[in-house]
Amino acid sequence: MQCRARPHATFDGRSESAHVGRVNYLLRVWLIAGVTAVSVSAQKIPVVEKHLPNGFKLLLVERHEEPRIAGGWVAHVGSANERPGITGIAHLFEHMMFKGTPTIGTTDAARDLDILVQQEQVRDEMRAEEARMRHALRKGEVDDITSPESKSDHYKELEARFQKLIDAERQVLVKNEFDRVYTTAGASGMNAFTTEDMTGYFITVPANKLELWCWMESERLLHPVFREFYAERDVVFEERRMRTESTPTGKFAEQFNAMFWDAHPYHWPVIGWPSDIPAISKRQADDFYQQFYQPDNITLILVGDFDPAAAEAMVIKYFSRIPKGSSPPSEVTTLEIPSVGEKRYYAEAETNPQLDILWRTVGFGHKDSYPLDVLQLLLSGRTGRLYKGLVLGRQSATEAVAQQDSRKWAGAFEIEAEVREGKTTEELEAAIYEELERIKNEPVPPEELQKVKNQFAAAEYRKLSANFPIFRQVLQSEGLGDWHEVNEAGPRLQAVTAEDVQRVAKKYLVKENRAVAVYTRKPGTGGTAEDPDLAGLSAEQKPIIRRVVQALGQETDADKLQQQADAIESRLSSTDPKKLPLQKLILKKLRARVTELKAVPADKKP
Amino acid sequence: MELRAVRWFQVFWLCGLCLRAGESIPDRPEKLEFPPLQYSPPHADEYRVALKSGPVAYLVPDHELPLVNLSILVRTGAYLEPADKTGLANFTGYLLTRGGIGEKTADELEERLAFLAASLTSGIGDDQGIVNLNLLAKDLEEGLGLLRQALTAPRFQADKLELYRDQTLQALRQRNDDSSAIEARESEALAYGTNAWISRNETDASVKSIAVADLHAFHQKWFQPSNFVVAASGDFDRDSLVSKLEQLFSSWPFSGEVPPPIPTNFAMAKPGVYVVDKDVNQGRVSLLLPGVRRDSPDFPAVLVMNDILGGGGFTSRIMNRVRSDEGLAYGAGSAFPGGVDYALPFRAGLASKSRTVAYAASLVIEEMHRISDQPVSSEELNTAKRSFIDTFPQTFNTKGKIAGQFARDEFTGRHARDPGFWDQWRQRIDSVTQDEVQRVARKYLTPDRAILLVVGKKDEILKGHPDHPVTLGSLVPGGLVELPLRDPLTLTPLDSGTKKVE
């Protein structure tokens, strides 16, 4: 499970071409460009939809190209279903779903349960102490409640008691047994992910082990046991450090996102705010489970080598055991407020200068999402408008990409671009808007429009290489709201006109609707080009001259430097020949600095 | 909490009742019975064609989708570039299809490919080059024409060289921004020695020294049919593609050279703890040891041993200790990749908050000792073996993978040396014993020879954690050495250089 909580897990469609056994090509799309008319059949994945009486939806795609089955399910819950105080719980939950059941993960279910109850009692006391620590922080009595030194004696004592219970739990614990059962059975690729909109779980099993998949997945939905809950919170915190806090732009991107969304819960990060993750209690997790992991909030998906009737019967046998939910899960009711003014965010980071521009647009399945998808294609790629206009034409960027991100509840259009050395973020930003104005004011030529539609159709094929990519497409669409989109988005996109593209560009890509993040490099972190003067120096001498140059840059007294230069010059004739090139170079740098300082008027000197 | 406990018992109890009432669902997965599953891998000779024009090709027709995928593997690599032009192989590989070909300028080629919804890409890595063509079957004729021009007549336009140079320099500037990039670079230098070709890196000076003439010379030296192996899959007729390929590779306009063997005179750094100071709140750890080649008779046992130690994800010991037990890391594990031409180092790695870096690393070393000192359990051994044996069909689960795997075997010489490799692979894994696992663990997992690289906030990491009295410097012999950060463009040390830390 190396790849959890990737908020926008995208799928690489450039995989190798391959057999797709039962995939039909029913939709025919005529791709016409210039004088050539070519015909390409669009993909249609033959999904069979079934419903279980307790509410589960089941999607089946039969394929016999390899003796394996990609299986999984999507729970229609993500970070958008959280609230302040428990942000990150949907993702934490995803981790907890691998901890087992009363029979998987322990040798003694009763003892295990007893210890879990005792652990919660100690944790309740610890939570009271944590509340006092937060109070002390607010009063300024402590600076950092996360450092080991700031723990109170009482808290340390509670920690020791809790550790004893963990030791006791380990006596009956069977580590990661859920994973081991699958691995021993030849399954592979077990993983899960959480986004703002959904939580997906998946694995690939040998074709003869479909019953094992049914047993394992229905068991953990029927009676999950959230053991090792508190150690797993620490794991999630390490995940947060890895993805957000210790990456060059992670913490800035998190703030920028929070600035972009005002009212909508997309405002907080999928992984959760740092203070919320360690404060989530197991009780809150239990409540969350009751609400969002009931059968009518889950879709089961199987893609691969099975007989559909037998597979359906097997799924019914196992998953019918799970009781129907008592009340439907709550939906996200908050609608984003209209954007009334441009937002700007400036960050100095350890990264090359770059721009990230977001506009509020529309979500999954909205009629405008298709022209926005086409706009993305027109702007992106090596023959796209951004590359041609910014990278090749104006040479103000080294790379530039666009993306329409149609999420379940709302959407955004994004352009990211890296500034080319010697140019500025201002120049690049102006150039991006010029390209967008051109889209708004001049209809896209038919050949160009057709080109991106051709690319889209071909990319659709390339996604059909094997069970798992097909599985992921179905899961993604279903998680966003409707699996039918895997087959229906293509024709809708092919129907987009040049006028549609102009219309959505004019409607959404406007100043008051955007937020702009401007990244500039933190001083002193980007490296320096090799000074050609250093070419003749030895490896030991090069660092010396670099330090000299650095020191000279900070010295502003021209007369003092002039005296030093004179002193070196007077000694040159008696210098050791090995050191002569170095001394000559120091002299050259000194003189250059003196000239530079004398050229600057006194009132402009730093 | 009392209420919750009652509810769990109720669920348990009710469940038991309905099981007795309905069709039997066992309480443990071991009680399930499964139908047998037979699988035999494809055979290379069914697809192999030795073309008269020079290359060996693997052709795997597949008529389900109207696409063709063609890859040319090329015997070349960064090991062949002059030391002062590091990056030449990379530049040649990238610009082969991005700098114009034959009659077409780079921009004309891009437009044509985009119009055809085709992709033509290329690259050169350490010891292999590759050119890929992926397109709709109806365009195959035109695509092969473009491929011929790319292979024989790349233009290496000066403006595209300048653009790629600028893009590369931009990428170099980011070298110290992410701690994982620093870790990767320093790992290589420690594992192979700073003077080895494999740990040479592009610099501002080396990138700026590359000229159009260098690209042409490098290309013409190595891009000739006798240095090619071809993998093709997709919607084509085999015989017809054979004659098209003969045509593609015939009458080559220049003659090149046969590349010399890959130099393997690497020198691993002395054992010790090497620290790079970087202001981030999570420290990254790499433990390195000398590795093996994949054709070593020890390799199947090494794979199984590593799977149990740290390669098997959640069933592995390192993951259990460091992540599940202690919550010290999100990812923790080990890798023992077998090298083709030279041994690749063993690496165990993790990332943990600064104060617990030393403790987490000590747990990894403990596990290395444990797997050497005590036999693994038969359950662990079985799980590890099944994870290789039962997932084996995935090696060949697409026609593209069949063509690609066999072409790679041809390229590396495995097809010639060990033609029964894939037929025997599962048996070789299955015959590994507990004794063998312990033997290879003792042989290769020698913490007293280890290099422990740590990238992170040095002061915090050295402080350690009050609950876990472990000091970083005591974990492996050799003492603590601070490695300097390097200027991202020149790679020269930013401060006074390597020093011992007291």
Side-chain angles (χ1 to χ4, degrees):
Chain A
M1 274 147 277
Q2 297 290 323
C3 303
R4 286 173 176 169
R6 204 182 288 161
H8 315 290
T10 51
F11 217 57
D12 182 6
R14 290 180 33 191
S15 42
E16 298 149 305
S17 67
H19 258 299
V20 178
R22 290 289 190 101
V23 174
N24 302 322
Y25 311 106
L26 301 180
L27 302 169
R28 267 191 119 60
V29 180
W30 286 92
L31 306 180
I32 300 164
V35 288
T36 341
V38 296
S39 130
V40 174
S41 322
Q43 70 149 325
K44 189 163 173 73
I45 302 174
V47 181
V48 175
E49 179 177 329
K50 300 282 178 182
H51 292 266
L52 272 64
N54 54 358
F56 281 113
K57 189 194 282 186
L58 170 65
L59 304 177
L60 299 166
V61 182
E62 186 188 356
R63 264 186 108 246
H64 299 288
E65 282 308 297
E66 52 171 322
R68 293 180 76 79
I69 299 167
W73 43 281
V74 56
H76 301 281
V77 56
S79 61
N81 300 87
E82 299 163 350
R83 59 171 173 77
I86 58 164
T87 63
I89 196 171
H91 168 250
L92 177 61
F93 220 86
E94 172 221 319
H95 281 231
M96 293 316 299
M97 285 304 287
F98 292 86
K99 291 298 180 183
T101 70
T103 59
I104 298 283
T106 184
T107 53
D108 184 344
R111 172 94 183 108
D112 183 54
L113 193 58
D114 181 47
I115 295 168
L116 287 178
V117 171
Q118 291 182 50
Q119 285 185 350
E120 276 313 291
Q121 288 163 351
V122 178
R123 277 285 160 182
D124 281 339
E125 289 187 55
M126 290 171 81
R127 272 186 278 276
E129 193 65 15
E130 285 159 8
R132 278 190 280 278
M133 285 154 71
R134 281 192 296 271
H135 181 78
L137 182 75
R138 287 194 295 271
K139 295 290 168 200
E141 292 157 17
V142 292
D143 291 333
D144 177 10
I145 54 173
T146 62
S147 91
E149 287 80 10
S150 68
K151 291 171 186 168
S152 68
D153 288 343
H154 181 48
Y155 194 80
K156 285 183 195 158
E157 181 208 323
L158 289 167
E159 272 189 333
R161 269 170 60 197
F162 189 75
Q163 187 58 43
K164 281 210 177 99
L165 288 167
I166 287 185
D167 295 341
E169 187 184 23
R170 281 191 191 144
Q171 301 300 313
V172 294
L173 194 69
V174 185
K175 293 296 294 184
N176 289 320
E177 193 181 12
F178 193 82
D179 189 282
R180 188 170 311 144
V181 169
Y182 264 138
T183 306
T184 310
S188 63
M190 183 168 87
N191 214 329
F193 68 90
T194 308
T195 72
E196 295 85 351
D197 299 324
M198 70 185 95
T199 314
Y201 298 82
F202 48 85
I203 192 161
T204 295
V205 295
N208 61 339
K209 302 277 172 64
L210 179 61
E211 186 166 12
L212 177 70
W213 180 84
C214 290
W215 192 96
M216 294 286 279
E217 302 302 321
S218 63
E219 279 284 307
R220 69 164 155 178
L221 281 166
L222 182 61
H223 36 221
V225 177
F226 305 138
R227 50 178 76 91
E228 297 180 295
F229 183 80
Y230 295 95
E232 201 61 27
R233 283 189 334 189
D234 294 344
V235 171
V236 170
F237 218 100
E238 288 295 350
E239 187 178 354
R240 188 187 148 79
R241 284 188 192 97
M242 185 186 81
R243 294 190 196 282
T244 305
E245 296 176 4
S246 67
T247 57
T249 56
K251 47 191 177 286
F252 304 105
E254 183 178 85
Q255 283 199 347
F256 181 54
N257 178 72
M259 184 173 114
F260 179 68
W261 299 103
D262 290 311
H264 201 275
Y266 286 162
H267 164 87
W268 55 75
V270 172
I271 199 151
W273 293 123
S275 60
D276 288 359
I277 298 169
I280 294 169
S281 69
K282 187 175 160 297
R283 199 170 299 135
Q284 287 167 326
D286 290 339
D287 294 344
F288 196 80
Y289 182 79
Q290 289 302 322
Q291 189 178 174
F292 292 107
Y293 278 70
Q294 47 180 293
D296 56 5
N297 206 36
I298 290 173
T299 303
L300 311 167
I301 303 164
L302 293 169
V303 178
D305 188 11
F306 52 75
D307 170 66
E312 185 189 351
M314 187 84 80
V315 168
I316 289 172
K317 173 180 166 185
Y318 280 89
F319 286 84
S320 294
R321 300 183 293 162
I322 298 156
K324 197 173 169 58
S326 49
S327 60
S330 60
E331 81 153 18
V332 176
T333 51
T334 303
L335 297 174
E336 187 51 280
I337 57 168
S339 183
V340 291
E342 185 192 31
K343 298 171 178 172
R344 299 191 67 87
Y345 180 83
Y346 293 91
E348 245 179 29
E350 287 189 61
T351 188
N352 287 339
Q354 55 193 274
L355 293 169
D356 188 359
I357 309 175
L358 288 167
W359 291 265
R360 302 256 187 86
T361 56
V362 297
F364 180 81
H366 188 286
K367 62 183 173 53
D368 285 349
S369 67
Y370 309 102
L372 285 163
D373 283 339
V374 171
L375 178 58
Q376 164 191 326
L377 295 168
L378 285 166
L379 291 173
S380 299
R382 225 186 297 276
T383 61
R385 295 277 183 108
L386 293 178
Y387 197 84
K388 281 162 109 176
L390 308 178
V391 179
L392 300 180
R394 296 177 190 79
Q395 305 199 350
S396 49
T398 40
E399 54 182 300
V401 291
Q403 190 202 0
Q404 160 62 21
D405 183 10
S406 305
R407 298 189 198 166
K408 184 173 181 174
W409 309 102
F413 196 87
E414 180 174 31
I415 292 180
E416 289 177 280
E418 185 188 76
V419 181
R420 196 162 176 174
E421 181 75 1
K423 303 283 178 163
T424 64
T425 53
E426 290 82 6
E427 286 170 281
L428 180 55
E429 191 179 352
I432 290 170
Y433 298 147
E434 277 172 33
E435 287 299 333
L436 295 179
E437 285 309 304
R438 210 152 66 82
I439 293 270
K440 290 177 193 171
N441 297 327
E442 303 161 27
V444 177
E447 299 78 19
E448 193 181 353
L449 188 60
Q450 197 56 53
K451 175 188 76 183
V452 302
K453 289 180 180 178
N454 288 2
Q455 288 175 318
F456 178 82
E460 293 278 277
Y461 281 128
R462 293 180 175 124
K463 287 186 204 161
L464 301 177
S465 61
N467 291 342
F468 190 70
I470 295 173
F471 169 85
R472 273 299 291 261
Q473 283 183 80
V474 174
L475 182 139
Q476 187 74 14
S477 275
E478 177 66 7
L480 287 172
D482 184 4
W483 67 262
H484 290 90
E485 275 290 290
V486 298
N487 292 330
E488 290 169 7
R492 287 181 183 142
L493 189 137
Q494 296 293 342
V496 168
T497 65
E499 294 71 39
D500 292 334
V501 173
Q502 263 185 303
R503 180 180 59 77
V504 296
K506 282 180 186 165
K507 181 172 180 185
Y508 299 105
L509 306 189
V510 295
K511 186 175 180 183
E512 63 271 22
N513 199 30
R514 76 184 174 217
V516 184
V518 180
Y519 290 92
T520 48
R521 181 168 275 292
K522 192 173 167 185
T525 63
T528 43
E530 179 78 278
D531 183 342
D533 288 344
L534 270 61
L537 301 186
S538 70
E540 293 76 34
Q541 290 172 332
K542 283 180 181 179
I544 299 175
I545 196 75
R546 271 190 211 99
R547 279 198 294 276
V548 168
V549 171
Q550 209 174 11
L552 285 175
Q554 283 158 18
E555 181 56 67
T556 53
D557 186 342
D559 295 336
K560 186 175 150 195
L561 294 177
Q562 185 62 54
Q563 283 169 19
Q564 288 177 8
D566 294 344
I568 290 176
E569 191 162 23
S570 67
R571 289 198 304 267
L572 273 187
S573 54
S574 58
T575 300
D576 173 356
K578 277 188 205 156
K579 291 183 181 162
L580 198 58
L582 179 68
Q583 291 300 320
K584 280 186 173 169
L585 190 51
I586 292 175
L587 185 61
K588 180 179 169 184
K589 298 290 177 193
L590 270 167
R591 284 180 178 150
R593 180 63 180 156
V594 170
T595 313
E596 189 180 84
L597 285 170
K598 287 188 172 165
V600 181
D603 62 329
K604 294 278 167 60
K605 279 183 187 168
Chain B
M1 269 338 289
E2 295 305 317
L3 266 178
R4 285 233 42 97
V6 170
R7 195 155 69 196
W8 280 122
F9 278 124
Q10 277 177 343
V11 170
F12 215 0
W13 172 241
L14 286 171
C15 196
L17 279 184
C18 66
L19 289 192
R20 272 192 289 279
E23 226 188 320
S24 69
I25 290 178
D27 62 345
R28 287 284 308 178
E30 292 79 7
K31 296 175 185 168
L32 296 170
E33 284 174 19
F34 304 109
L37 185 69
Q38 296 301 327
Y39 175 80
S40 31
H43 288 104
D45 289 337
E46 291 170 35
Y47 306 103
R48 189 176 189 274
V49 180
L51 297 170
K52 294 187 194 76
S53 49
V56 167
Y58 287 85
L59 275 54
V60 188
D62 172 12
H63 302 293
E64 287 302 323
L65 293 171
L67 291 169
V68 174
N69 205 13
L70 203 75
S71 296
I72 317 267
L73 307 186
V74 186
R75 293 186 198 284
T76 180
Y79 78 96
L80 295 165
E81 65 194 8
D84 61 347
K85 286 199 188 292
T86 301
L88 176 59
N90 164 22
F91 272 60
T92 308
Y94 179 83
L95 290 165
L96 187 82
T97 50
R98 298 271 89 87
I101 58 169
E103 301 295 305
K104 283 192 166 55
T105 66
D107 295 347
E108 286 165 356
L109 174 63
E110 297 290 4
E111 287 295 340
R112 188 62 195 158
L113 290 169
F115 173 77
L116 297 174
S119 116
L120 175 64
T121 57
S122 51
I124 299 178
D126 282 346
D127 49 21
Q128 179 190 294
I130 192 161
V131 183
N132 289 310
L133 175 68
N134 184 300
L135 76 182
L136 294 168
K138 67 178 179 60
D139 301 322
L140 183 58
E141 202 75 40
E142 181 176 351
L144 289 173
L146 296 175
L147 183 59
R148 162 97 186 179
Q149 288 180 359
L151 292 170
T152 59
R155 289 166 66 151
F156 296 121
Q157 275 169 233
D159 60 332
K160 298 300 172 191
L161 169 61
E162 288 316 314
L163 174 61
Y164 190 53
R165 202 193 314 271
D166 276 3
Q167 289 171 329
T168 304
L169 289 172
Q170 281 289 70
L172 298 194
R173 286 188 184 94
Q174 314 242 48
R175 266 180 172 153
N176 288 345
D177 295 348
D178 203 322
S179 53
S180 62
I182 300 169
E183 182 193 25
R185 187 173 71 233
E186 296 300 335
S187 286
E188 214 161 57
L190 291 167
Y192 300 106
T194 44
N195 292 321
W197 66 266
I198 197 167
S199 42
R200 274 198 317 250
N201 286 295
E202 294 169 347
T203 62
D204 180 73
S206 80
V207 164
K208 283 180 178 164
S209 78
I210 295 169
V212 169
D214 297 322
L215 303 172
H216 281 296
F218 195 83
H219 162 251
Q220 296 209 356
K221 207 164 175 182
W222 312 118
F223 278 69
Q224 53 150 339
S226 61
N227 284 338
F228 296 162
V229 176
V230 181
S233 61
D235 190 12
F236 53 76
D237 170 71
R238 176 181 159 129
D239 293 342
S240 134
L241 186 60
V242 168
S243 58
K244 286 189 174 103
L245 290 177
E246 294 288 16
Q247 208 183 326
L248 173 67
F249 298 119
S250 65
S251 330
W252 212 248
F254 48 86
S255 58
E257 292 178 22
V258 176
I262 298 171
T264 58
N265 51 337
F266 305 133
M268 205 165 194
K270 286 189 295 189
V273 179
Y274 295 82
V275 182
V276 183
D277 192 17
K278 167 82 181 165
D279 187 13
V280 285
N281 68 0
Q282 189 178 55
R284 301 187 63 89
V285 178
S286 272
L287 186 145
L288 306 168
L289 279 169
V292 286
R293 288 176 55 173
R294 73 176 188 188
D295 53 7
S296 155
D298 286 343
F299 192 54
V302 161
L303 275 182
V304 171
M305 183 276 291
N306 180 65
D307 194 78
I308 297 168
L309 174 70
F314 281 79
T315 56
S316 75
R317 291 176 171 189
I318 289 177
M319 190 70 117
N320 278 332
R321 280 296 295 284
V322 177
R323 173 171 163 151
S324 308
D325 277 358
E326 306 282 346
L328 292 172
Y330 173 69
S334 63
F336 222 137
V340 177
D341 295 290
Y342 43 88
L344 295 171
F346 164 83
R347 175 181 178 266
L350 59 91
S352 187
K353 61 185 173 294
S354 306
R355 301 288 296 269
T356 49
V357 160
Y359 178 54
S362 78
L363 296 181
V364 171
I365 293 170
E366 260 181 52
E367 288 302 333
M368 288 165 61
H369 281 297
R370 188 160 74 95
I371 204 167
S372 305
D373 296 344
Q374 301 159 25
V376 298
S377 72
S378 56
E379 291 77 21
E380 284 176 303
L381 182 69
N382 182 46
T383 298
K385 286 182 182 179
R386 297 329 301 175
S387 77
F388 289 103
I389 294 168
D390 292 344
T391 58
F392 178 64
Q394 297 193 142
T395 313
F396 298 105
N397 69 353
T398 68
K399 298 293 190 282
K401 276 195 189 171
I402 294 173
Q405 184 62 61
F406 290 148
R408 178 81 187 140
D409 286 352
E410 184 77 30
F411 189 87
T412 59
R414 181 154 71 186
H415 176 70
R417 276 197 309 274
D418 194 359
F421 179 82
W422 295 112
D423 280 330
Q424 292 158 22
W425 174 239
R426 288 171 289 179
Q427 178 53 39
R428 287 179 192 177
I429 291 288
D430 206 24
S431 63
V432 173
T433 62
Q434 283 157 290
D435 286 348
E436 268 193 286
V437 166
Q438 194 172 4
R439 179 182 65 76
V440 295
R442 282 184 177 156
K443 182 171 172 184
Y444 296 104
L445 300 182
T446 48
D448 56 325
R449 293 169 66 193
I451 286 168
L452 192 67
L453 170 66
V454 178
V455 182
K457 198 164 188 173
K458 185 186 72 181
D459 293 345
E460 289 288 302
I461 290 170
L462 292 179
K463 221 185 265 179
H465 195 282
D467 297 349
H468 310 290
V470 179
T471 55
L472 194 65
S474 65
L475 291 177
V476 296
L480 203 67
V481 178
E482 184 171 358
L483 295 176
L485 257 188
R486 293 170 183 281
D487 182 289
L489 285 174
T490 62
L491 289 179
T492 48
L494 279 173
D495 46 33
S496 46
T498 305
K499 62 188 174 212
K500 284 265 181 191
V501 177
E502 299 309 321

